[in-house]
Amino acid sequence: MHTVVVGTSGVTASDVLAVARDGARIELSGEAVAALAAAREIVDALAAKPEPVYGVSTGFGALASRHISPELRAQLQRNIVRSHAAGMGPHVEREVVRALMFLRLKTVCSGHTGVRPEVAQTMADILNAGITPVVHEYGSLGCSGDLAPLSHCALTLMGEGDAEGPDGVVRPAGELLAAHGITPVELREKEGLALLNGTDGMLGMLVMALADLETLYKSADVTAALSLEALLGTDKVLAPELHAIRPHPGQGASAANMLAVLKGSELTGHHQDDAPRVQDAYSVRCAPQVAGAGRDTLAHAWTVAERELASAVDNPVVLPDGRVESNGNFHGAPVAYVLDFLAIAAADLGSIAERRTDRLLDKNRSHGLPPFLADDAGVDSGLMIAQYTQAALVSEMKRLAVPASADSIPSSAMQEDHVSMGWSAARKLRTAVNNLARIVAIELYAATRAIELRAGLTPAPASQAVIAAVRAAGVQGPGPDRFLAPDLEAADAFVRAGGVVTAVEPVTGPLA
C-alpha cells in the first residue's frame, strides 16, 4: 500500500487524494516529530508563566479575556472540543472526512501549532486504522476554521462521539479505538484549539473537486467533438491559428482536444450540403471558448489550492523565534472564492452541453437525424426525457452557482463578525461536480447514438473508439424504446471513471 510521509513543509494534492480516496498509510517524518517537540516546549514554557496567553491559558473567541488556572486547562481543552462538536444533518462522505483529518495533521506537523508529537501520531493511527469520525453536513461558517467538522474529528481522538469503522459500521469512537489498540488522547494546553482552527474541510473538497473537474473538462471536450460530428458541423473553427489570436491557454487546449478527436472524420464539413449553414450554432462553434474559460478557472483554483497546501493554518501560531501570536489566517476567503468560481464555470459547461444535446434531438436543427433519435418516432419517444433530466440538472447547477462566499452571518457575540462560508461553497460544489458528470454522460449518450444513426459516413477513429468503449461498458446503442435509466447510470459511471479519456487517448495521444 502506498505510504504518504508527512513532514513540516506541507503536502501535495496527490498526497491528499491518496489518503482520502485510496486509503494510503501515513507516516510522520523525523523532521516533523522534532518540530512538534520543539514547538511544544515553547507552549509548555508559556503555560508555566503567570501572564495569560491566548489559546494556552485563556478562553476562546468572545471568552478570550478570561485567564484559566492551570488545574482547569485540560478541562478547557476537552470542553472546547465537546462544545464545538455541534454539527447537524447528514453524515459527510468518508473521503471528505479523511481529507479533513489528513490536512489538519499536515498543519499540526508544521511545528507551528504547539501540539505534542503523540497527538499527531494518534491522528495518523486513526487514519491508518480506517476509522472515520462522524462529521455532519452543517456546522461550519468557514472562519476560525471548519470548527464543527474538525471538532467531531477531535472528539474521536479523545475516544468520544461516534465514528465509522473500516467495515462502514458506525460505533462509539472509544470502542473502535480500543479494537485497534489506539489510546485516546488526553488534551493539554493549546491542543484542543489547534485541532479545530483550519480550512482543512473546504481545502480537501477543493482538491478533490479539481481532480474530478480535470477529467470532466477533458471528457466534455470529447463529447462536444462527438456532437459537432453528429451534427455534420465544421471543424475549421478549431484551427490552431484561430485560437492563437485570442491566446487564452484553456481555449487553445480545448480546441486542440476537439480537433484531435475529429481527425479523420467523414462526418465533419457537411454543413454546406442539403441545408447550407454559414456557421454552426454557438453551442457547437464556441465550445472551446466556454470550456477553455473553465479550464483557466481550474488553473487559478489550483494555484490557490497549492498555496493553501503549503500553509500552516492555526490561531494562535508558534513562530520560530518562540513567540505565540494571534492571527487571522484561518479565514477561508481565498478558498471560498475559488470554490464558488468553479461552481459558476461548471454550471456554464453543463449548460452548453445541454444545448448541444437538445440540438441533436430536434429534427428541425439536427440536419437529418430522426426526432429525439427515436427508432420509430411517435411510437418511440427516444431520448426526449433524457434531455429533460439533463435540463433539470443544469437548472440545479445554476442555483448552485450562486456564491456562498458573498454571504456572512456574524457569530461568537460579534467577535467573529465576518465569515467566509467556504464549507458551504465546497459542499455545493461537490453537488455541482456530480451533476456535471451526469450532464456530460447524457451528451455522450445522445452523441454516440446520433453518430451511429449517420449511415454511410464513417466517424473519426477516436469517435469509433469512444463508441466501442461505451457500448462495452453496458450503454446500449440505437433501437426501440427501453428502460432508459440503467443506460444513463452506466454512461454516468463510465464518465466518472474517466472512460471517455481512456478510450480516446490511444488514438489521439494525451489530451491537454
Side-chain angles (χ1 to χ4, degrees), residues 235-247 251-252 255 289:
D235 59 358
K236 290 183 178 181
V237 297
L238 304 173
E241 56 269 26
L242 294 175
H243 298 278
I245 62 175
R246 195 189 189 196
Q251 177 180 322
Q289 285 77 8

Side-chain angles (χ1 to χ4, degrees), residues 320-485:
D321 61 7
R323 286 180 295 148
V324 175
E325 296 285 0
S326 293
N327 68 91
N329 283 344
F330 49 72
H331 199 290
V335 183
Y337 291 169
V338 293
L339 288 163
D340 281 333
F341 199 175
L342 289 171
I344 292 169
D348 202 33
L349 185 64
S351 180
I352 197 171
E354 182 275 329
R355 287 293 79 205
R356 290 190 294 265
T357 301
D358 181 66
R359 187 165 289 272
L360 289 167
L361 305 188
D362 183 353
K363 69 181 182 66
N364 297 311
R365 294 179 292 142
S366 66
H367 310 288
L369 290 169
F372 303 106
L373 306 181
D375 186 64
D376 184 2
V379 175
D380 294 311
S381 295
L383 306 191
M384 180 190 295
I385 307 305
Q387 184 267 331
Y388 282 37
T389 299
Q390 198 181 36
L393 290 163
V394 170
S395 183
E396 184 180 33
M397 288 190 72
K398 292 175 181 178
R399 296 191 295 274
L400 293 167
V402 176
S405 58
D407 188 28
S408 176
I409 296 181
S411 55
S412 192
M414 291 301 288
Q415 176 72 7
E416 298 167 13
D417 59 351
H418 184 275
V419 297
S420 78
M421 302 307 298
W423 174 272
S424 298
R427 296 305 295 165
K428 67 184 182 65
L429 178 60
R430 280 182 70 83
T431 303
V433 171
N434 285 333
N435 284 356
L436 180 60
R438 296 180 180 110
I439 290 165
V440 171
I442 292 172
E443 183 183 15
L444 173 69
Y445 188 46
T448 53
R449 177 184 282 212
I451 289 172
E452 289 180 302
L453 290 170
R454 293 290 189 190
L457 293 171
T458 303
S463 303
Q464 295 177 52
V466 174
I467 293 169
V470 80
R471 297 291 171 256
V475 182
Q476 299 183 57
D481 280 356
R482 55 183 174 267
F483 182 22
L484 207 55

Side-chain angles (χ1 to χ4, degrees), residues 90-274:
H91 295 181
V92 171
E93 303 85 359
R94 181 177 184 271
E95 67 176 15
V96 172
V97 180
R98 286 183 62 83
L100 171 76
M101 286 190 70
F102 174 65
L103 287 168
R104 194 70 223 138
L105 177 60
K106 175 266 299 183
T107 282
V108 164
C109 287
S110 69
H112 290 294
T113 68
V115 168
R116 288 169 294 152
E118 52 263 43
V119 176
Q121 185 60 56
T122 302
M123 295 172 75
D125 291 344
I126 288 172
L127 284 165
N128 289 340
I131 298 170
T132 307
V134 169
V135 172
H136 298 275
E137 180 82 17
Y138 303 105
S140 175
L141 300 180
C143 202
S144 289
D146 288 317
L147 285 174
L150 282 163
S151 297
H152 283 276
C153 293
L155 202 64
T156 296
L157 263 71
M158 293 164 49
E160 299 181 16
D162 292 327
E164 181 184 297
D167 58 359
V169 177
V170 174
R171 297 167 55 192
E175 291 182 11
L176 284 168
L177 265 59
H180 289 83
I182 300 172
T183 302
V185 168
E186 291 284 344
L187 298 177
R188 288 170 47 180
E189 292 94 342
K190 175 83 170 58
E191 291 179 335
L193 186 60
L195 294 174
L196 314 187
N197 254 313
T199 54
D200 309 293
M202 63 185 91
L203 175 59
M205 286 186 275
L206 172 60
V207 169
M208 289 186 284
L210 285 167
D212 293 340
L213 285 168
E214 282 196 342
T215 299
L216 286 174
Y217 268 83
K218 291 179 183 179
S219 301
D221 287 342
V222 175
T223 59
L226 295 177
S227 291
L228 183 152
E229 194 173 22
L231 291 166
L232 306 179
T234 177
D235 59 358
K236 290 183 178 181
V237 297
L238 304 173
E241 56 269 26
L242 294 175
H243 298 278
I245 62 175
R246 195 189 189 196
H248 293 284
Q251 177 180 322
S254 286
N257 286 345
M258 290 180 66
L259 201 58
V261 172
L262 293 170
K263 184 178 181 181
S265 174
E266 292 183 2
L267 278 75
T268 57
H270 291 275
H271 59 296
Q272 297 292 346
D273 289 354
D274 297 334

Side-chain angles (χ1 to χ4, degrees), residues 20-103:
R21 291 182 163 171
D22 301 330
R25 290 188 60 79
I26 300 162
E27 292 181 4
L28 309 186
S29 72
E31 176 192 28
V33 173
L36 284 159
R40 186 65 208 180
E41 286 182 6
I42 294 171
V43 170
D44 286 341
L46 289 171
K49 292 183 176 182
E51 297 85 9
V53 177
Y54 177 69
V56 176
S57 53
T58 71
F60 311 113
L63 303 176
S65 58
R66 179 178 172 183
H67 182 247
I68 307 299
S69 59
E71 66 272 12
L72 293 177
R73 289 175 190 169
Q75 181 181 339
L76 170 69
Q77 300 301 320
R78 289 195 301 271
N79 285 351
I80 190 175
V81 172
R82 290 167 175 165
S83 65
H84 285 44
M88 295 184 72
H91 295 181
V92 171
E93 303 85 359
R94 181 177 184 271
E95 67 176 15
V96 172
V97 180
R98 286 183 62 83
L100 171 76
M101 286 190 70
F102 174 65
L103 287 168

Side-chain angles (χ1 to χ4, degrees), residues 7-26:
T8 60
S9 57
V11 296
T12 67
S14 296
D15 292 335
V16 176
L17 296 170
V19 172
R21 291 182 163 171
D22 301 330
R25 290 188 60 79
I26 300 162

